[in-house]
Amino acid sequence: MFPGPEIHAHKGDTIWVNVTNTGPYGVTIHWHGVRQIKYPWSDGPEYITQCPIATNSSFLQKIILTEEEGTLWWHAHSDWTRATIHGAIIISPVNGTSYPYKFDEQHTVVISEWYARDTKDIIDEALASGGDPDLSVAFTINGHPGDTYSCSDDSIYNLTVVQGKTYLLKIIHAGLNEEMFFGIAEHNITVVGMDGAYLKPLNTNYLMITPGQTMDVLVTANQTSGRYYMVFSPFTDTNAPSNNNVTRGIFQYSSYNQSETPALPELPGSTNKSDAGNFTIQLRSLNSAEHPSTVPTSITRNVTITVSVNQQPCPANQTCTGPDGSMHSASLNNISFSNPSISILQAYYNNINDTYNKTFPDSPPFVFDFTGNVSAIGEVANVSTEVLMIDHNDEVEIIFQGTNLGAAENHPMHLHGYSFYVVGMGDGNFSDSYISDYNLVDPPYVNTVGLPKNGWTVIRFKADNPGVWFMHCHLERHASWGMAMVLVVKNGVNEDDRVLPPPDDFPTCSGS
Ligand SMILES: [Cu+2]
């Protein structure tokens, strides 16, 4: 199935999924946005928490829902296999409670990218040559490329609606490498949730969504009976190669003549950074009595992380196809993450040495005008497997600082094991003078945030979930180039605050 099967659950449920790999190479599955309290064993990123599930073997994964409510998703987390292995997780309120909004029907809308070749071959070849990976050849809505491609006209997503009804669209961005604008012709949309948490209703005529994010939006069929295109159009504020096609489906009133040409929405242009930012900065958590915000205000751990696209020199006796004959690379605090040979969780839990270093720096190793003219700054990063150690229950603030190295662009930063509050965001270099402008009342509570091109973003969370948690750019090519790191949140002193034991069938790394 493409997209894969939906999982439906209620808040607080525990879900068991028996994952059997019938594909030709190893794979892992991640439950994106599920906190998995004290249980990183099922989190999924390969070589971080587990090794791949081998062909023709199974792993019974336990997905522990706690506070999550709304839309999340699951996807493969090995190489680029998530391109085609993904699906929705729909989490309803527990019985006896209700949604903080009204709707008549809900529909899942998965935006994805389709590649012409096996995505494992694409990224393996790109990493070997140092060059750019193939671009996708189409974007799809619920598996349909739509009528902007030379495919069958039948292959378009149609949502048939009834005049006067309100529809809850659960939008999931499962694409690999492009952020997206979305809108429906002549209809306003109201964003009411994101990443498994509620938002204050935000009325808009477009949204911007990054890979890794989910958004719950309401749309009411309150216009003249007709056919209206719903369009996803890429946001690409970079000079890196990008797929600039659009994909569209049809929002059509049930009573209408289906031969009419639908109307098109007006969406921001593909390089419109200000429209992307203007949407994102309006997001606010609901912060109601039933769904209060609990923003950490007594920070005990401050971390600043630069987010960069880099180059590595071409190895001797090799030809590389990256910029000026080099190899593409990417880094956090100038460290380009390198996968270990056994999982970091396995090594951490069993006290196995020499798998990773505990020396990820709390601040950039050297300071420059990060978002200015960087032509005199070397672009080489250190390739290493570094983790950031965090004490249990620390109140953590991370300042992400984009840099102008390589091809600057928006980076959707994603953290496993946590959602976090986005308390500040802006252009240019971060400055302490921005602290007084933080939103500590109702900032959005999300698992993925778009760090603006040549800008900064500040997030906060309480480190109440011990374990080994991956943090990375959700643009897959950047993650593959090393724009990633690992947080190890230590156990607390109480028996209740420790990582639980592993399951019996955990895919360890020896022999896989
Ligand atoms: Cu990125």
Side-chain angles (χ1 to χ4, degrees):
M1 294 172 65
F2 177 71
E6 286 191 2
I7 295 173
H8 288 255
H10 287 93
K11 180 180 180 178
D13 283 353
T14 294
I15 306 161
W16 294 89
V17 178
N18 192 16
V19 179
T20 300
N21 180 8
T22 57
Y25 37 69
V27 74
T28 68
I29 304 290
H30 167 55
W31 319 91
H32 183 115
V34 178
R35 295 199 56 199
Q36 300 282 36
I37 302 294
K38 300 186 288 184
Y39 200 73
W41 305 104
S42 275
D43 192 48
E46 70 173 346
Y47 304 113
I48 310 302
T49 62
Q50 69 175 82
C51 273
I53 304 166
T55 296
N56 295 324
S57 59
S58 297
F59 178 28
L60 180 59
Q61 294 190 245
K62 182 181 185 182
I63 300 107
I64 305 167
L65 299 178
T66 46
E67 65 190 29
E68 304 86 354
E69 185 168 334
T71 306
L72 296 174
W73 59 302
W74 57 268
H75 62 80
H77 213 303
S78 40
D79 297 306
W80 279 23
T81 46
R82 80 173 173 87
T84 52
I85 305 175
H86 56 248
I89 304 176
I90 307 295
I91 307 163
S92 305
V94 290
N95 292 335
T97 67
S98 55
Y99 296 88
Y101 46 79
K102 295 223 176 340
F103 61 93
D104 297 299
E105 279 180 31
Q106 62 177 357
H107 295 270
T108 305
V109 175
V110 179
I111 171 73
S112 188
E113 280 183 81
W114 186 259
Y115 288 79
R117 298 193 296 140
D118 185 326
T119 51
K120 185 177 189 307
D121 293 341
I122 291 173
I123 189 56
D124 285 352
E125 289 167 21
L127 293 177
S129 70
D132 282 300
D134 291 8
L135 299 174
S136 57
V137 294
F139 297 108
T140 58
I141 302 174
N142 290 343
H144 302 274
D147 60 3
T148 57
Y149 303 93
S150 53
C151 304
S152 158
D153 280 350
D154 294 329
S155 187
I156 187 162
Y157 173 64
N158 279 296
L159 177 59
T160 302
V161 300
V162 174
Q163 182 81 42
K165 283 193 174 181
T166 296
Y167 295 83
L168 171 62
L169 304 185
K170 298 171 141 328
I171 302 174
I172 297 168
H173 194 335
L176 296 196
N177 288 313
E178 309 292 354
E179 285 134 354
M180 287 285 170
F181 291 112
F182 170 77
I184 304 174
E186 293 171 37
H187 289 74
N188 276 337
I189 56 180
T190 305
V191 188
V192 292
M194 183 173 175
D195 288 8
Y198 295 116
L199 294 173
K200 285 195 174 70
L202 171 65
N203 293 306
T204 177
N205 53 15
Y206 71 92
L207 57 78
M208 193 284 281
I209 186 167
T210 77
Q213 292 179 332
T214 65
M215 287 182 192
D216 290 346
V217 309
L218 299 175
V219 53
T220 300
N222 57 6
Q223 298 300 307
T224 309
S225 186
R227 304 178 85 207
Y228 301 88
Y229 275 124
M230 57 171 86
V231 175
F232 285 94
S233 170
F235 164 52
T236 52
D237 58 344
T238 174
N239 53 19
S242 54
N243 179 352
N244 280 313
N245 293 305
V246 306
T247 183
R248 55 198 194 190
I250 301 175
F251 188 85
Q252 60 181 28
Y253 287 66
S254 56
S255 55
Y256 199 65
N257 176 357
Q258 305 214 346
S259 63
E260 289 293 318
T261 301
L264 273 170
E266 284 181 32
L267 291 177
S270 64
T271 61
N272 196 327
K273 178 178 187 288
S274 63
D275 279 4
N278 288 342
F279 168 76
T280 304
I281 61 167
Q282 293 180 75
L283 299 169
R284 298 280 183 275
S285 60
L286 182 58
N287 192 26
S288 64
E290 295 77 27
H291 304 280
S293 294
T294 53
V295 189
T297 53
S298 307
I299 299 301
T300 54
R301 185 72 184 271
N302 284 87
V303 181
T304 300
I305 298 176
T306 50
V307 180
S308 300
V309 177
N310 305 88
Q311 295 168 21
Q312 299 294 339
C314 193
N317 309 319
Q318 196 180 321
T319 303
C320 295
T321 55
D324 303 321
S326 70
M327 305 186 82
H328 281 300
S329 176
S331 67
L332 299 175
N333 269 350
N334 212 43
I335 295 163
S336 185
F337 186 81
S338 145
N339 278 335
S341 54
I342 68 168
S343 82
I344 291 176
L345 177 59
Q346 191 185 339
Y348 170 70
Y349 192 78
N350 298 299
N351 295 308
I352 298 167
N353 290 330
D354 302 326
T355 299
Y356 60 90
N357 302 311
K358 300 177 179 177
T359 45
F360 188 91
D362 271 20
S363 54
F366 61 102
V367 173
F368 52 97
D369 179 2
F370 299 116
T371 57
N373 182 345
V374 295
S375 55
I377 308 289
E379 295 193 357
V380 177
N382 299 314
V383 178
S384 185
T385 308
E386 303 284 342
V387 312
L388 183 70
M389 302 299 295
I390 292 187
D391 289 334
H392 184 256
N393 276 345
D394 258 352
E395 297 201 358
V396 182
E397 176 175 287
I398 298 178
I399 301 168
F400 290 111
Q401 175 65 62
T403 81
N404 201 19
L405 295 172
E409 68 177 294
N410 189 298
H411 299 288
M413 300 304 297
H414 171 55
L415 175 59
H416 292 223
Y418 290 88
S419 278
F420 47 78
Y421 290 98
V422 182
V423 300
M425 179 179 287
D427 289 331
N429 297 338
F430 177 80
S431 150
D432 285 346
S433 65
Y434 301 143
I435 295 172
S436 58
D437 294 332
Y438 284 175
N439 177 1
L440 302 179
V441 177
D442 58 358
Y445 186 61
V446 298
N447 63 55
T448 305
V449 63
L451 166 66
K453 174 185 180 177
N454 281 328
W456 54 273
T457 295
V458 183
I459 69 168
R460 288 186 174 188
F461 60 94
K462 184 173 183 181
D464 56 3
N465 187 16
V468 170
W469 305 113
F470 204 25
M471 189 169 78
H472 58 96
C473 180
H474 223 278
L475 300 184
E476 217 53 38
R477 67 183 193 284
H478 290 171
S480 298
W481 292 341
M483 192 177 279
M485 54 91 75
V486 170
L487 302 182
V488 173
V489 176
K490 295 187 219 169
N491 287 332
V493 287
N494 298 326
E495 198 63 38
D496 269 0
D497 294 330
R498 297 182 186 175
V499 172
L500 296 166
D504 292 339
D505 60 345
F506 183 65
T508 54
C509 298
S510 51
S512 65

